Each structure stands twice: as C-alpha cells, then as structure tokens.
Amino acid sequence: MAQERSQWTGRLGFILAASGSAIGLGNLWKFPYITYENNGGAFVLVYLAAIAVVGVPIMVAEVLLGRRSQKNPVGAFRVLAAGKPGGKWWQAVGFLGVLTGFVILSYYSVVAGWTIRYILLAVSGKLAGLAHHPAAMQSFFGEFLSNPWQQIFFHCLFMGATIGIVYFGVGRGIERAARFLMPVLLSILVMLVVYSFWTPGFGDAMRFLFRPNFSELTTGGVLEALGHSFFTLSLGMGAMLTYGSYMRKRDSIPRAALTICAMDTMIAIMACIVMFSIIFSFDFEVTKSSTILFTTLPVVFFQLPGGSAVSALFYVLVAFAALTSTISLLEVVSSYAIDELGWRRQRATLTMGAAILVFGILSAVSLGGNATLSDINFIGRSSTAGVFGTLDYLASNWFLPVGGLLIALFTGWFLGREASKEELEEGNGPLGWAFPLWRFLIRIAAPAAVGAIIVSVILGAEYQ
Ligand code: PFF
C-alpha cells in the first residue's frame, strides 16, 4: 500500500479512543436498567465474570488481529487467513462486522439524538417545568418519540457531528475528539458520583449493587450479562480491530486491553451508583425501566438541589459518551471503504455516513405512533418494536455474538500460537503465564460461553 497507515499519536491516544468506543449508551443506559430488572447484586457479579472470561480475551484478540494485519476488518481476515483452512471465507467475518457497524450506527444515532433534545430542554429551563409532574414527563417523551420530524432532525444532527469528526481522520479527528471528550466525561461522572454520595439513597444503592442474592439470578439474567459484555465493550464487529490497526508496535496490547475493559466496567458501575442513589432517594416507582434515563431521572433530578445544573451535566455526559461510540462505528465502515474500495477518507466518510443517516431514518420514524412506549426496549430485547427494535435485536443478539465467536475461534485455532505470541509480546515483553491463560480463554472458555448465548437465542429461551 502506497500510503502510510495512520497511527494514534501515543499510547494514551489509543486507550482514550478505544475506551470512548466502549463507553456509551450501553454503559449509561442499558447497564443500569438491566441491572435494575435483574435485581442488582448477583447480576453485577455475573457481569463482572463475563467481562473477565469473555470480554478481556476477545478484546485482546481483536486488537491483536488489527495491529498484526494493519487493516480494516475485511482486509484483516483476508491477509491473516491467507493459506489457512477456510482461506478466503474468513473475510465474511469482516463483512459481517462492517454490516453490523452500519446497522448499529443507524439506530444508535437516533437514541443519541435524544440526548441533544434533553440538553436543550435542561439548558432552556423547560425540563424543570415538565419534570415536576411525572405524568407530564412521560407524555412529553411519548410525544417526542412519535414526532417523526423531531426524531429525524436530532438523528441528523448527531450523524452530522459524527461524520464531521471522522472526516478529519485518525489523529486530527478521532483522537483529538477523544482527548477532549473523555476527560470531560470522566470529570462529569465523578462529580455526579460525589453528588450522589450526599443523597439519602446512596446506602440503598450500594446494597442493591454489591450485596448479591443468588436466588434472584435467572438463566436469562446470566445470558443477558454475557450478551451485554459484547455490546458494552464494542466487541464482535471489528471496531476494536480497526482501532487496533492504528496502534503503534511499541505499545502493549494486553495492558491497553485490560485498561479499556476496566474503564468501561468502572463507568458502568459508577453510572449505576449515580442513578440508583438518586432513584432510591425517593419512593419512586419505576414503571418502565428501559426509559429510566428519559422519564424517571429528569423527575428525580428536580427533587434535588441544583436540578437544572445536574440534569444538564448529566445529558452532556450521555451525549459525549454516545459520540465517542458513534465515531468508532462510522470508522469501521469508513476504513473498509478506504482500504478495500480505495476511496479517499473524505469520500468514504461522507458517502458511508450519508448512507447510514438515510437508512437510520427508517428507525427514527419507526418509533412513531408507539404511544404506549411498551415496545421500546433498546438494545437486544425485543424483535417487535418496528425497524428500530428489529435491527437492534438482530445486531445485539445475532451479529455481535456470532462475530465474537468467529473472532475467538479464528484467533484461537487458526492464527497460530507463535504469531499471537509474537504480536502480544511486541511492545509488552514476555508474557509468562498470562499467555497460556489467554490461549485457554480464547480457545475454549470464550467460545463455549458465546456458543451458549447463540444456542439460547436459537431456542428462544433468552428473553421471555
Ligand atoms: N460500546 C458501545 C456502548 O456501550 O454503548 C456501543 C458500541 C460501539 C457497540 C461501537 C459496538 C461498537 F462497535
């Protein structure tokens, strides 16, 4: 290839961008509400185990495949599988990844757009009025969802911001955005955690999260925790592979992967502490846990001192987290067009971004007329909520786990022990016992766990 591949400017650049991809609506929205539905404690423990047994090894594998091949997901499998059993067919895994990126971004951006609406509401002072009446908040949200023009408008705005950043490339666009957005995001969250410490519900929240009661745990809950570990860590579709392809050889893959997984997990737990402390401070009935973020939280924010400021900060936090994730989704699709179709970056981002924006309109308007809200089950819960729910169901329950399984199998069984070892030790030094442990996890444990998710989806046993 004539052109030098872009690189992150430093170790921190990769870690911030990749953590930015991982930390998103999955952490701030989905994790708290599935934790709520699964009664906290034991579910949180299973989730931590899933991150350790499935998340970390696959994260290492994806980054390894990216840095070794210096390619987008399709190119990576083409190069690395050459001469191996299955040969060219492995490219299909890359294609599935690019397709998944396209699909997820199309509906993720719709939800991300809602955060802009809420920032505007908070800043203009309108949220204060609405949030004084839980019923008014509910009906506001319902009307907002069923207004196609508003849905399209905010979706376009969010896609515009995403395209605008990815357009400028790895260093000047993605890394620069992450270097600004991630510290702001972390500071806001730390401020909110400190704030929640003084709320009366803090103790209850900690007990709810950290006192496991295994009799409350269901098989569905275990599978849900496993499935969520893919979504939240951006695994199974080549996002980490793509970001890994821009990583410098002198940086350590295992250390970076561990840091990213730890950051993502920490943020998810912190988000739970903030939300549950606030919610448990009041005798509040959560009617629909999947809409906590947009209906219950605003109401509780305004029961507390500084409601306007806290809510504005909170929605800025969610918007920033979502933005660093949408950037990575678009980068997967763009890097494919750049490497494989030979397009220039500007053309790739604008064309692919526009295509995703237009496709996303289907999701944006599919929420219309959904007056009861009962079908809105973001991320992998239901296949009944129109285009939005169907795409999400397909991506979260099928594409990501299947992609993750194939990535684990390829790395564990086909890439070769020596190639993996060499790449993982490059920039890290000898791995000692950690290498055989990782090999075991990626060859046996992770595929077995992911296989269980897939079988359960096939049997329809996952979610009632
Ligand atoms: N990890 C993101 C979240 O938790 O919101 C979502 C995501 C981003 C999934 C990028 C996949 C991806 F490639």
Side-chain angles (χ1 to χ4, degrees), residues 261-309:
C261 294
M263 293 264 288
D264 184 78
T265 309
M266 213 176 65
I267 301 276
I269 302 274
M270 284 164 79
C272 283
I273 295 179
V274 172
M275 287 188 214
F276 294 135
S277 299
I278 295 179
I279 290 174
F280 293 162
S281 295
F282 303 93
D283 221 1
F284 227 76
E285 210 203 325
V286 176
T287 37
K288 184 83 196 112
S289 47
S290 60
T291 61
I292 285 182
L293 204 69
F294 297 100
T295 55
T296 316
L297 267 186
V299 176
V300 255
F301 279 145
F302 284 94
Q303 309 281 323
L304 294 163
S308 281

Side-chain angles (χ1 to χ4, degrees), residues 21-27 104 108 231-234 237 239 325 328-329:
S21 168
I23 297 163
L25 297 171
N27 305 59
I104 296 186
Y108 195 94
F231 191 88
T232 190
L233 293 173
S234 306
M237 53 157 280
S325 298
S328 72
L329 288 160

Side-chain angles (χ1 to χ4, degrees), residues 177-374:
R179 278 182 187 271
F180 168 70
L181 295 173
M182 294 309 286
V184 177
L185 181 155
L186 261 175
S187 327
I188 297 181
L189 194 55
V190 169
M191 272 157 59
L192 291 171
V193 170
V194 172
Y195 175 90
S196 67
F197 181 75
W198 302 107
T199 59
F202 183 77
D204 284 343
M206 297 306 271
R207 272 187 290 281
F208 181 74
L209 286 170
F210 300 115
R211 189 179 283 171
N213 175 358
F214 284 93
S215 64
E216 309 241 34
L217 196 63
T218 61
T219 323
V222 174
L223 293 168
E224 190 157 26
L226 259 172
H228 182 60
S229 64
F230 277 95
F231 191 88
T232 190
L233 293 173
S234 306
L235 296 177
M237 53 157 280
M240 290 300 168
L241 185 156
T242 307
Y243 274 12
S245 74
Y246 307 131
M247 194 180 174
R248 302 180 310 180
K249 285 283 186 190
R250 71 181 115 120
D251 293 331
S252 155
I253 295 177
R255 242 174 279 158
L258 278 172
T259 313
I260 298 160
C261 294
M263 293 264 288
D264 184 78
T265 309
M266 213 176 65
I267 301 276
I269 302 274
M270 284 164 79
C272 283
I273 295 179
V274 172
M275 287 188 214
F276 294 135
S277 299
I278 295 179
I279 290 174
F280 293 162
S281 295
F282 303 93
D283 221 1
F284 227 76
E285 210 203 325
V286 176
T287 37
K288 184 83 196 112
S289 47
S290 60
T291 61
I292 285 182
L293 204 69
F294 297 100
T295 55
T296 316
L297 267 186
V299 176
V300 255
F301 279 145
F302 284 94
Q303 309 281 323
L304 294 163
S308 281
V310 176
S311 55
L313 272 181
F314 182 82
Y315 291 109
V316 170
L317 163 79
V318 184
F320 279 10
L323 184 58
T324 46
S325 298
T326 54
I327 291 172
S328 72
L329 288 160
L330 182 56
E331 180 60 17
V332 170
V333 184
S334 303
S335 73
Y336 161 74
I338 295 168
D339 290 353
E340 303 298 307
L341 309 177
W343 293 5
R344 287 191 26 234
R345 170 167 289 273
Q346 288 76 359
R347 176 179 171 205
T349 0
L350 291 176
T351 314
M352 292 300 184
I356 296 170
L357 182 151
V358 171
F359 186 64
I361 291 178
L362 288 178
S363 291
V365 300
S366 84
L367 301 166
N370 221 329
T372 63
L373 296 186
S374 59

